[in-house]
Amino acid sequence: MTLATLVTRTAANPAPDLVPAARPRRVGPDWEVLLMPERLGRLLTSALAGRPARTAPLGWVFAHAGQWGIFLPPESDEPAWPSDTTYLKAGSSLTLPAAGARPDAWTGASGWVSRDGSRLSRPLLVHPVLTALAAA
């Protein structure tokens, strides 16, 4: 079991198993998570920004301790994601930020970077962009 500690805009969909205060959660069963370095997360969100929320390839994004995470549909680990990312399958454990938490670049505080549109990112659209950004 992989263990990761991860503690904005608003969306109509409820967050997966969010609770008032951040606490460990199990990934899944209807979602998995891709973690990436903050630098790569910023590049990805910038590259995919500006699309209408309902058609955007990038879903909700959260930040913690220098890493950013995105939610993906189950079994989105093929093809392999870039080597500097970590894929958390259903059953893994992580800590999600509290519902209203916003990240703070100065203190490194955890929070939600974006919660527009669909909770889940679209792996077939995100994968090639993230792979190209990671190689640059």
Side-chain angles (χ1 to χ4, degrees):
M1 175 183 296
T2 305
L3 179 64
T5 300
L6 300 168
V7 174
T8 322
R9 301 173 277 196
T10 43
N13 301 335
D17 301 314
L18 277 184
V19 294
R23 68 180 184 127
R25 306 298 304 163
R26 290 242 185 254
V27 173
D30 61 341
W31 53 280
E32 295 181 340
V33 172
L34 181 70
L35 302 176
M36 65 196 78
E38 179 181 2
R39 177 196 66 81
L40 191 53
R42 287 184 185 279
L43 290 172
L44 181 65
T45 55
S46 293
L48 298 176
R51 301 218 168 51
R54 70 182 188 288
T55 61
L58 193 61
W60 294 7
V61 181
F62 60 96
H64 176 70
Q67 292 201 327
W68 286 26
I70 61 172
F71 299 99
L72 295 168
E75 300 183 23
S76 295
D77 54 342
E78 291 294 331
W81 293 90
S83 61
D84 54 350
T85 64
T86 302
Y87 189 86
L88 300 177
K89 296 186 79 53
S92 299
S93 180
L94 79 156
T95 301
L96 293 175
R102 298 181 63 85
D104 184 331
W106 301 106
T107 65
S110 302
W112 293 95
V113 175
S114 173
R115 284 181 29 193
D116 278 349
S118 174
R119 167 178 48 109
L120 300 177
S121 292
R122 298 176 182 185
L124 293 178
L125 300 175
V126 173
H127 189 278
V129 175
L130 187 62
T131 301
L133 291 170

Coordinates of all heavy atoms in Angstrom, one line a residue, residues 34-129:
L34 N -2.9 11.0 -9.5 CA -1.5 11.1 -10.0 C -0.9 12.3 -9.3 O -1.4 13.4 -9.3 CB -1.6 11.4 -11.5 CG -0.2 11.5 -12.1 CD1 0.6 10.2 -12.2 CD2 -0.3 12.1 -13.6
L35 N 0.2 12.1 -8.6 CA 1.0 13.1 -7.9 C 2.2 13.5 -8.8 O 2.7 12.7 -9.5 CB 1.5 12.6 -6.6 CG 0.5 12.0 -5.6 CD1 1.2 11.5 -4.4 CD2 -0.4 13.1 -5.2
M36 N 2.5 14.8 -8.8 CA 3.6 15.3 -9.6 C 4.3 16.5 -8.8 O 3.7 17.1 -7.9 CB 3.1 15.8 -10.9 CG 2.2 17.0 -10.9 SD 1.2 17.3 -12.4 CE 0.0 16.0 -12.2
P37 N 5.5 16.8 -9.1 CA 6.2 17.9 -8.5 C 5.4 19.2 -8.8 O 4.8 19.3 -9.8 CB 7.6 18.0 -9.2 CG 7.8 16.6 -9.8 CD 6.4 16.1 -10.1
E38 N 5.5 20.1 -7.9 CA 4.7 21.4 -8.0 C 5.1 22.1 -9.3 O 4.2 22.6 -10.0 CB 5.0 22.3 -6.8 CG 4.3 23.7 -6.9 CD 4.7 24.6 -5.8 OE1 5.5 24.3 -4.9 OE2 4.1 25.7 -5.8
R39 N 6.3 22.1 -9.7 CA 6.7 22.8 -11.0 C 6.0 22.2 -12.1 O 5.4 22.9 -13.0 CB 8.2 22.6 -11.2 CG 8.8 23.2 -12.5 CD 10.1 22.6 -12.8 NE 10.1 21.2 -13.1 CZ 9.8 20.7 -14.3 NH1 9.4 21.5 -15.3 NH2 9.8 19.4 -14.5
L40 N 5.9 20.9 -12.2 CA 5.2 20.2 -13.3 C 3.7 20.5 -13.2 O 3.0 20.7 -14.2 CB 5.5 18.7 -13.3 CG 5.1 17.9 -14.5 CD1 5.6 18.5 -15.8 CD2 5.5 16.4 -14.3
G41 N 3.1 20.5 -12.0 CA 1.7 20.8 -11.8 C 1.4 22.2 -12.3 O 0.3 22.4 -12.9
R42 N 2.2 23.1 -12.0 CA 2.0 24.5 -12.5 C 2.0 24.6 -14.0 O 1.2 25.3 -14.6 CB 3.0 25.5 -11.8 CG 2.8 25.7 -10.4 CD 3.7 26.8 -9.8 NE 3.6 27.0 -8.4 CZ 2.6 27.7 -7.8 NH1 1.8 28.3 -8.6 NH2 2.6 27.8 -6.5
L43 N 3.0 23.9 -14.6 CA 3.1 23.9 -16.1 C 1.9 23.3 -16.7 O 1.3 23.8 -17.7 CB 4.4 23.2 -16.5 CG 5.7 23.8 -16.2 CD1 6.8 22.8 -16.5 CD2 5.8 25.1 -17.0
L44 N 1.4 22.2 -16.1 CA 0.2 21.5 -16.6 C -1.0 22.4 -16.5 O -1.8 22.5 -17.5 CB 0.0 20.2 -15.9 CG -1.1 19.3 -16.4 CD1 -0.9 18.8 -17.8 CD2 -1.4 18.1 -15.4
T45 N -1.2 23.0 -15.4 CA -2.4 23.8 -15.2 C -2.4 25.0 -16.1 O -3.4 25.4 -16.7 CB -2.7 24.2 -13.8 OG1 -1.5 24.9 -13.3 CG2 -3.0 23.0 -12.9
S46 N -1.2 25.6 -16.3 CA -1.1 26.7 -17.2 C -1.4 26.3 -18.7 O -2.0 27.0 -19.4 CB 0.3 27.3 -17.2 OG 0.5 27.9 -15.9
A47 N -0.8 25.1 -19.1 CA -1.0 24.7 -20.4 C -2.5 24.4 -20.8 O -2.9 24.5 -21.9 CB -0.2 23.4 -20.7
L48 N -3.2 23.9 -19.8 CA -4.6 23.5 -20.0 C -5.6 24.5 -19.5 O -6.8 24.2 -19.5 CB -4.9 22.1 -19.4 CG -4.0 21.0 -19.9 CD1 -4.2 19.7 -19.2 CD2 -4.2 20.8 -21.4
A49 N -5.2 25.7 -19.1 CA -6.1 26.7 -18.6 C -6.9 27.3 -19.7 O -6.5 27.3 -20.9 CB -5.3 27.8 -17.8
G50 N -8.0 28.0 -19.3 CA -8.8 28.7 -20.3 C -9.9 27.9 -21.0 O -10.6 28.5 -21.9
R51 N -10.0 26.7 -20.7 CA -11.0 25.9 -21.4 C -12.3 25.9 -20.5 O -12.2 26.0 -19.3 CB -10.6 24.4 -21.5 CG -9.3 24.3 -22.4 CD -9.3 23.1 -23.2 NE -8.3 23.1 -24.3 CZ -7.0 23.2 -24.1 NH1 -6.5 23.5 -23.0 NH2 -6.2 23.1 -25.1
P52 N -13.5 25.9 -21.2 CA -14.7 25.8 -20.4 C -14.7 24.7 -19.4 O -14.2 23.6 -19.8 CB -15.8 25.7 -21.4 CG -15.2 26.1 -22.7 CD -13.7 25.8 -22.6
A53 N -15.2 24.9 -18.2 CA -15.1 23.9 -17.1 C -15.7 22.5 -17.5 O -15.1 21.5 -17.2 CB -15.7 24.4 -15.9
R54 N -16.8 22.5 -18.3 CA -17.5 21.3 -18.6 C -16.7 20.5 -19.7 O -16.9 19.3 -19.8 CB -18.9 21.5 -19.0 CG -19.1 22.2 -20.3 CD -20.5 22.5 -20.7 NE -20.7 22.9 -22.0 CZ -20.4 24.2 -22.4 NH1 -19.8 25.0 -21.6 NH2 -20.6 24.5 -23.7
T55 N -15.8 21.1 -20.4 CA -15.0 20.4 -21.4 C -13.5 20.3 -21.2 O -12.8 19.8 -22.0 CB -15.2 21.0 -22.8 OG1 -14.7 22.4 -22.8 CG2 -16.7 21.0 -23.2
A56 N -13.1 20.8 -20.0 CA -11.7 20.9 -19.7 C -11.1 19.5 -19.5 O -11.8 18.6 -18.9 CB -11.5 21.7 -18.5
P57 N -9.9 19.2 -20.0 CA -9.3 17.9 -19.8 C -8.8 17.7 -18.4 O -8.6 16.6 -17.9 CB -8.1 17.9 -20.8 CG -7.9 19.3 -21.1 CD -9.1 20.0 -20.9
L58 N -8.5 18.8 -17.7 CA -8.0 18.8 -16.3 C -9.1 19.0 -15.3 O -9.8 19.9 -15.4 CB -6.9 19.8 -16.1 CG -6.0 19.7 -14.9 CD1 -5.2 18.4 -14.9 CD2 -5.0 20.9 -14.9
G59 N -9.2 18.0 -14.4 CA -10.2 18.1 -13.3 C -9.7 18.8 -12.1 O -8.8 19.7 -12.2
W60 N -10.1 18.5 -10.9 CA -9.7 19.1 -9.7 C -8.2 18.9 -9.4 O -7.7 17.8 -9.7 CB -10.5 18.6 -8.5 CG -12.0 19.0 -8.6 CD1 -12.6 19.6 -9.6 CD2 -12.9 18.7 -7.6 NE1 -14.0 19.7 -9.3 CE2 -14.2 19.2 -8.1 CE3 -12.9 18.1 -6.3 CZ2 -15.3 19.1 -7.3 CZ3 -14.1 18.1 -5.6 CH2 -15.3 18.6 -6.1
V61 N -7.6 19.9 -8.9 CA -6.1 19.8 -8.6 C -5.9 20.2 -7.1 O -6.5 21.2 -6.7 CB -5.3 20.8 -9.5 CG1 -3.8 20.7 -9.2 CG2 -5.6 20.5 -11.0
F62 N -5.1 19.5 -6.4 CA -4.8 19.8 -5.0 C -3.3 19.8 -4.8 O -2.5 19.3 -5.6 CB -5.4 18.9 -4.0 CG -5.0 17.4 -4.2 CD1 -4.0 16.9 -3.4 CD2 -5.7 16.6 -5.1 CE1 -3.7 15.5 -3.5 CE2 -5.4 15.3 -5.2 CZ -4.3 14.7 -4.4
A63 N -2.8 20.5 -3.8 CA -1.4 20.7 -3.5 C -1.0 20.4 -2.1 O -1.8 20.6 -1.2 CB -1.0 22.2 -3.8
H64 N 0.2 19.9 -1.9 CA 0.7 19.7 -0.6 C 2.2 19.4 -0.6 O 2.7 18.5 -1.4 CB 0.0 18.5 0.1 CG 0.6 18.2 1.5 ND1 0.5 19.1 2.6 CD2 1.4 17.2 1.9 CE1 1.1 18.5 3.6 NE2 1.7 17.4 3.2
A65 N 3.0 20.0 0.2 CA 4.4 19.7 0.4 C 5.2 19.6 -0.9 O 6.0 18.7 -1.1 CB 4.6 18.5 1.2
G66 N 5.0 20.6 -1.8 CA 5.8 20.5 -3.1 C 5.2 19.6 -4.1 O 5.8 19.5 -5.2
Q67 N 4.1 18.9 -3.9 CA 3.5 18.1 -4.9 C 2.1 18.5 -5.2 O 1.4 19.0 -4.3 CB 3.5 16.6 -4.4 CG 4.8 16.0 -4.3 CD 4.7 14.5 -4.4 OE1 3.8 13.9 -3.9 NE2 5.7 13.8 -5.0
W68 N 1.7 18.3 -6.4 CA 0.3 18.5 -6.8 C -0.3 17.2 -7.2 O 0.4 16.3 -7.7 CB 0.3 19.5 -8.0 CG 0.6 21.0 -7.6 CD1 1.3 21.3 -6.5 CD2 0.1 22.1 -8.2 NE1 1.4 22.7 -6.4 CE2 0.7 23.2 -7.5 CE3 -0.6 22.4 -9.4 CZ2 0.4 24.5 -7.9 CZ3 -0.8 23.7 -9.7 CH2 -0.3 24.8 -9.0
G69 N -1.6 17.1 -7.1 CA -2.3 15.8 -7.4 C -3.5 16.1 -8.2 O -4.2 17.1 -8.1
I70 N -3.8 15.2 -9.2 CA -5.0 15.2 -10.0 C -5.8 13.9 -9.8 O -5.2 12.8 -9.6 CB -4.8 15.5 -11.4 CG1 -3.9 14.4 -12.1 CG2 -4.2 16.9 -11.6 CD1 -3.8 14.6 -13.6
F71 N -7.1 13.9 -9.9 CA -7.9 12.7 -9.8 C -8.1 12.2 -11.2 O -8.3 12.9 -12.2 CB -9.3 13.1 -9.2 CG -9.2 13.6 -7.8 CD1 -9.3 15.0 -7.6 CD2 -9.1 12.8 -6.8 CE1 -9.2 15.5 -6.3 CE2 -9.0 13.3 -5.5 CZ -9.1 14.6 -5.2
L72 N -8.0 10.9 -11.3 CA -8.2 10.2 -12.6 C -9.2 9.0 -12.5 O -9.4 8.5 -11.4 CB -6.8 9.6 -13.1 CG -5.8 10.6 -13.4 CD1 -4.4 10.0 -13.6 CD2 -6.1 11.4 -14.7
P73 N -9.8 8.6 -13.6 CA -10.6 7.4 -13.5 C -9.8 6.2 -13.1 O -8.5 6.2 -13.3 CB -11.1 7.2 -14.9 CG -10.9 8.6 -15.6 CD -9.7 9.2 -14.9
P74 N -10.4 5.1 -12.6 CA -9.6 3.9 -12.2 C -8.9 3.3 -13.4 O -9.4 3.5 -14.5 CB -10.7 3.0 -11.7 CG -11.9 3.8 -11.3 CD -11.8 5.0 -12.2
E75 N -7.8 2.8 -13.1 CA -6.9 2.1 -14.1 C -6.4 3.0 -15.2 O -6.3 2.6 -16.4 CB -7.7 0.9 -14.7 CG -8.0 -0.1 -13.6 CD -8.7 -1.4 -14.1 OE1 -8.5 -1.7 -15.3 OE2 -9.4 -2.0 -13.3
S76 N -6.1 4.2 -14.8 CA -5.5 5.2 -15.8 C -4.0 5.2 -15.8 O -3.4 6.2 -16.2 CB -6.0 6.6 -15.5 OG -7.4 6.7 -15.6
D77 N -3.4 4.1 -15.3 CA -2.0 4.0 -15.2 C -1.3 3.5 -16.5 O -0.1 3.3 -16.5 CB -1.6 3.3 -14.0 CG -2.2 1.9 -13.9 OD1 -3.2 1.6 -14.6 OD2 -1.7 1.1 -13.1
E78 N -2.0 3.2 -17.5 CA -1.5 2.8 -18.8 C -1.9 3.7 -19.9 O -3.2 4.0 -20.0 CB -1.9 1.3 -19.1 CG -1.2 0.3 -18.2 CD 0.3 0.2 -18.4 OE1 0.8 0.5 -19.5 OE2 0.9 -0.1 -17.4
P79 N -1.1 4.2 -20.7 CA 0.4 4.1 -20.7 C 1.0 4.7 -19.4 O 0.3 5.6 -18.8 CB 0.9 4.7 -22.0 CG -0.2 5.7 -22.3 CD -1.5 5.2 -21.8
A80 N 2.2 4.4 -19.2 CA 2.9 4.9 -18.0 C 3.0 6.4 -18.0 O 3.2 7.0 -19.1 CB 4.3 4.2 -17.9
W81 N 2.8 7.0 -16.8 CA 3.0 8.4 -16.7 C 4.5 8.7 -16.6 O 5.3 7.8 -16.3 CB 2.2 8.9 -15.5 CG 0.7 8.7 -15.6 CD1 0.0 7.7 -15.3 CD2 -0.2 9.7 -16.2 NE1 -1.4 7.9 -15.6 CE2 -1.5 9.1 -16.2 CE3 0.0 11.0 -16.7 CZ2 -2.6 9.8 -16.7 CZ3 -1.1 11.6 -17.2 CH2 -2.4 11.0 -17.2
P82 N 4.9 10.0 -16.7 CA 6.3 10.4 -16.6 C 6.9 9.9 -15.3 O 6.2 9.7 -14.3 CB 6.3 11.9 -16.7 CG 5.0 12.2 -17.5 CD 4.0 11.2 -17.0
S83 N 8.2 9.6 -15.4 CA 8.9 9.0 -14.2 C 8.9 9.8 -13.0 O 9.1 9.3 -11.9 CB 10.3 8.6 -14.6 OG 11.1 9.8 -15.0
D84 N 8.8 11.1 -13.1 CA 8.8 12.0 -11.9 C 7.4 12.2 -11.3 O 7.2 13.0 -10.4 CB 9.5 13.3 -12.1 CG 8.9 14.1 -13.3 OD1 8.1 13.5 -14.0 OD2 9.3 15.3 -13.4
T85 N 6.5 11.3 -11.7 CA 5.1 11.3 -11.1 C 4.9 10.0 -10.3 O 5.6 9.1 -10.5 CB 4.0 11.5 -12.2 OG1 4.1 10.3 -13.0 CG2 4.2 12.7 -13.0
T86 N 3.9 10.0 -9.5 CA 3.5 8.9 -8.7 C 2.0 8.6 -8.9 O 1.2 9.5 -8.6 CB 3.8 9.1 -7.2 OG1 5.2 9.4 -7.0 CG2 3.5 7.8 -6.4
Y87 N 1.7 7.4 -9.3 CA 0.3 7.0 -9.5 C -0.2 6.2 -8.3 O 0.4 5.2 -7.9 CB 0.2 6.2 -10.8 CG -1.2 5.9 -11.2 CD1 -1.9 6.8 -12.0 CD2 -1.9 4.8 -10.8 CE1 -3.2 6.6 -12.4 CE2 -3.2 4.6 -11.1 CZ -3.9 5.5 -11.9 OH -5.2 5.3 -12.3
L88 N -1.3 6.7 -7.7 CA -1.9 6.0 -6.5 C -3.1 5.3 -7.0 O -4.1 5.9 -7.3 CB -2.2 7.0 -5.4 CG -1.0 7.8 -4.8 CD1 -1.5 8.8 -3.8 CD2 0.0 6.9 -4.3
K89 N -3.1 4.0 -6.9 CA -4.2 3.1 -7.3 C -5.3 3.1 -6.1 O -5.0 3.4 -5.0 CB -3.8 1.7 -7.6 CG -2.9 1.7 -8.9 CD -2.5 0.3 -9.3 CE -3.6 -0.3 -10.1 NZ -4.2 0.3 -11.3
A90 N -6.5 2.6 -6.5 CA -7.5 2.4 -5.5 C -7.0 1.6 -4.3 O -6.3 0.6 -4.6 CB -8.7 1.8 -6.1
G91 N -7.3 2.0 -3.1 CA -6.8 1.3 -1.9 C -5.6 2.0 -1.3 O -5.3 1.7 -0.1
S92 N -4.9 2.8 -2.0 CA -3.8 3.6 -1.5 C -4.3 4.6 -0.5 O -5.5 4.9 -0.5 CB -3.0 4.3 -2.6 OG -2.5 3.4 -3.5
S93 N -3.5 5.1 0.3 CA -3.9 6.1 1.3 C -3.3 7.5 1.0 O -2.1 7.5 0.6 CB -3.5 5.6 2.7 OG -3.9 6.5 3.7
L94 N -4.0 8.5 1.2 CA -3.5 9.9 1.1 C -4.4 10.8 2.0 O -5.5 10.4 2.4 CB -3.5 10.4 -0.3 CG -4.8 10.9 -1.0 CD1 -4.4 11.8 -2.1 CD2 -5.5 9.7 -1.5
T95 N -3.9 12.0 2.2 CA -4.7 13.0 3.0 C -5.1 14.1 2.0 O -4.2 14.7 1.4 CB -3.9 13.5 4.2 OG1 -3.5 12.4 5.0 CG2 -4.7 14.5 5.0
L96 N -6.4 14.3 1.9 CA -6.9 15.4 1.1 C -7.0 16.7 1.9 O -7.3 16.6 3.1 CB -8.2 15.0 0.5 CG -8.2 13.8 -0.5 CD1 -9.6 13.4 -1.0 CD2 -7.3 14.2 -1.7
P97 N -6.9 17.8 1.2 CA -7.1 19.1 1.9 C -8.6 19.2 2.4 O -9.5 18.6 1.8 CB -6.8 20.1 0.9 CG -6.2 19.4 -0.2 CD -6.6 18.0 -0.2
A98 N -8.8 20.0 3.4 CA -10.1 20.3 3.8 C -10.9 21.1 2.7 O -10.2 21.6 1.8 CB -10.1 21.2 5.1
A99 N -12.2 21.0 2.7 CA -13.0 21.5 1.6 C -12.6 22.9 1.2 O -12.5 23.2 0.0 CB -14.5 21.4 1.9
G100 N -12.4 23.9 2.1 CA -12.2 25.2 1.7 C -10.7 25.6 1.7 O -10.4 26.8 1.5
A101 N -9.8 24.7 1.9 CA -8.4 25.0 2.0 C -7.8 25.5 0.7 O -8.1 24.9 -0.3 CB -7.6 23.8 2.5
R102 N -7.0 26.5 0.8 CA -6.3 27.1 -0.4 C -4.8 27.0 -0.2 O -4.3 27.2 0.9 CB -6.7 28.5 -0.6 CG -8.2 28.7 -0.9 CD -8.6 30.1 -1.2 NE -7.9 30.6 -2.4 CZ -8.4 30.5 -3.6 NH1 -9.5 29.9 -3.8 NH2 -7.7 31.1 -4.6
P103 N -4.0 26.6 -1.2 CA -2.6 26.5 -1.0 C -2.0 27.8 -0.8 O -2.5 28.8 -1.3 CB -2.1 25.8 -2.3 CG -3.2 26.2 -3.3 CD -4.5 26.3 -2.5
D104 N -0.9 27.9 -0.1 CA -0.1 29.1 0.1 C 1.3 28.9 -0.3 O 2.0 28.1 0.3 CB -0.2 29.5 1.6 CG 0.4 30.8 1.9 OD1 1.4 31.2 1.2 OD2 0.0 31.4 2.9
A105 N 1.7 29.6 -1.4 CA 3.0 29.4 -1.9 C 4.1 29.8 -0.9 O 5.2 29.3 -1.0 CB 3.2 30.2 -3.2
W106 N 3.8 30.8 0.0 CA 4.8 31.2 0.9 C 5.0 30.3 2.1 O 6.2 30.1 2.6 CB 4.4 32.6 1.4 CG 4.3 33.6 0.3 CD1 3.1 34.1 -0.2 CD2 5.3 34.2 -0.5 NE1 3.4 35.0 -1.2 CE2 4.7 35.0 -1.4 CE3 6.7 34.1 -0.4 CZ2 5.5 35.8 -2.3 CZ3 7.5 34.8 -1.4 CH2 6.8 35.6 -2.3
T107 N 4.0 29.6 2.5 CA 4.1 28.8 3.7 C 4.2 27.3 3.3 O 4.4 26.4 4.2 CB 3.0 29.0 4.7 OG1 1.8 28.6 4.1 CG2 2.9 30.4 5.1
G108 N 3.8 27.0 2.1 CA 3.7 25.6 1.7 C 2.5 24.9 2.2 O 2.4 23.7 2.1
A109 N 1.5 25.7 2.7 CA 0.3 25.1 3.2 C -0.5 24.3 2.1 O -0.5 24.7 0.9 CB -0.6 26.1 3.8
S110 N -1.1 23.2 2.4 CA -1.9 22.4 1.5 C -3.2 23.1 1.1 O -3.7 24.0 1.8 CB -2.3 21.1 2.1 OG -1.1 20.4 2.5
G111 N -3.8 22.7 0.0 CA -5.1 23.3 -0.4 C -5.4 22.9 -1.8 O -4.7 22.1 -2.5
W112 N -6.6 23.4 -2.2 CA -7.1 23.1 -3.6 C -6.7 24.2 -4.5 O -6.9 25.3 -4.3 CB -8.7 23.0 -3.5 CG -9.1 21.8 -2.7 CD1 -9.4 21.8 -1.4 CD2 -9.2 20.5 -3.1 NE1 -9.8 20.5 -1.0 CE2 -9.6 19.7 -2.1 CE3 -9.0 19.9 -4.4 CZ2 -9.8 18.3 -2.2 CZ3 -9.2 18.5 -4.5 CH2 -9.6 17.7 -3.4
V113 N -6.0 23.8 -5.6 CA -5.6 24.7 -6.6 C -6.8 25.0 -7.5 O -7.0 26.2 -7.9 CB -4.4 24.1 -7.4 CG1 -4.1 25.0 -8.6 CG2 -3.2 23.8 -6.5
S114 N -7.5 24.0 -7.9 CA -8.7 24.2 -8.8 C -9.8 23.2 -8.4 O -9.4 22.0 -8.2 CB -8.3 24.1 -10.2 OG -9.4 24.1 -11.1
R115 N -11.0 23.6 -8.4 CA -12.1 22.6 -8.3 C -13.2 23.0 -9.2 O -14.4 22.9 -8.9 CB -12.6 22.7 -6.8 CG -11.7 21.9 -5.9 CD -12.1 21.9 -4.5 NE -13.4 21.9 -4.2 CZ -13.9 22.1 -3.0 NH1 -13.1 22.3 -2.0 NH2 -15.2 22.1 -2.7
D116 N -12.8 23.4 -10.4 CA -13.8 23.7 -11.5 C -14.2 22.5 -12.3 O -13.4 21.6 -12.4 CB -13.3 24.7 -12.5 CG -13.4 26.1 -12.0 OD1 -14.1 26.4 -11.0 OD2 -12.8 27.0 -12.6
G117 N -15.4 22.4 -12.8 CA -15.8 21.3 -13.6 C -15.8 20.0 -13.0 O -16.0 19.8 -11.8
S118 N -15.5 19.0 -13.8 CA -15.5 17.6 -13.4 C -14.4 17.3 -12.4 O -13.3 17.9 -12.5 CB -15.3 16.7 -14.6 OG -15.2 15.3 -14.2
R119 N -14.6 16.5 -11.4 CA -13.6 16.1 -10.4 C -12.5 15.3 -11.1 O -11.3 15.5 -10.8 CB -14.2 15.2 -9.3 CG -13.3 14.5 -8.5 CD -14.0 13.7 -7.4 NE -15.1 12.9 -7.8 CZ -15.1 11.6 -7.9 NH1 -14.1 10.9 -7.5 NH2 -16.2 10.9 -8.3
L120 N -12.8 14.5 -12.1 CA -11.8 13.6 -12.7 C -11.2 14.3 -13.9 O -11.9 14.9 -14.7 CB -12.4 12.3 -13.1 CG -13.0 11.4 -12.0 CD1 -13.6 10.2 -12.6 CD2 -11.9 11.1 -11.0
S121 N -9.9 14.2 -14.1 CA -9.2 14.6 -15.3 C -9.4 13.5 -16.4 O -9.7 12.4 -16.1 CB -7.7 14.8 -15.0 OG -7.5 15.9 -14.1
R122 N -9.2 13.9 -17.6 CA -9.3 13.0 -18.7 C -7.9 12.5 -19.1 O -7.2 13.3 -19.8 CB -10.0 13.7 -19.9 CG -11.4 14.2 -19.5 CD -12.0 15.0 -20.6 NE -13.3 15.5 -20.2 CZ -14.2 16.1 -20.9 NH1 -13.8 16.3 -22.2 NH2 -15.3 16.5 -20.5
P123 N -7.6 11.3 -18.7 CA -6.2 10.9 -18.9 C -5.7 10.9 -20.4 O -4.6 11.1 -20.7 CB -6.2 9.5 -18.3 CG -7.6 9.1 -18.2 CD -8.4 10.3 -18.1
L124 N -6.6 10.5 -21.3 CA -6.2 10.5 -22.7 C -5.8 11.9 -23.3 O -5.0 12.0 -24.2 CB -7.2 9.8 -23.6 CG -7.5 8.4 -23.3 CD1 -8.6 7.8 -24.2 CD2 -6.2 7.5 -23.5
L125 N -6.3 12.9 -22.7 CA -6.0 14.3 -23.1 C -4.9 14.9 -22.2 O -4.1 15.6 -22.7 CB -7.3 15.2 -23.0 CG -8.5 14.7 -23.8 CD1 -9.7 15.6 -23.5 CD2 -8.1 14.8 -25.3
V126 N -4.8 14.5 -21.0 CA -3.8 15.0 -20.1 C -2.4 14.3 -20.3 O -1.4 15.0 -20.3 CB -4.2 14.9 -18.6 CG1 -3.1 15.3 -17.6 CG2 -5.4 15.7 -18.3
H127 N -2.4 13.0 -20.5 CA -1.2 12.3 -20.6 C -0.2 12.8 -21.7 O 1.0 13.0 -21.3 CB -1.5 10.8 -21.0 CG -0.3 9.9 -20.9 ND1 0.6 9.8 -21.9 CD2 0.1 9.1 -19.8 CE1 1.6 9.0 -21.5 NE2 1.3 8.6 -20.3
P128 N -0.6 13.1 -22.9 CA 0.4 13.6 -23.9 C 1.0 15.0 -23.5 O 2.1 15.3 -23.7 CB -0.3 13.7 -25.2 CG -1.8 13.5 -24.9 CD -1.9 12.9 -23.5
V129 N 0.1 15.8 -22.9 CA 0.6 17.2 -22.5 C 1.6 17.1 -21.4 O 2.6 17.7 -21.4 CB -0.6 18.1 -22.1 CG1 -0.2 19.4 -21.6 CG2 -1.6 18.3 -23.3

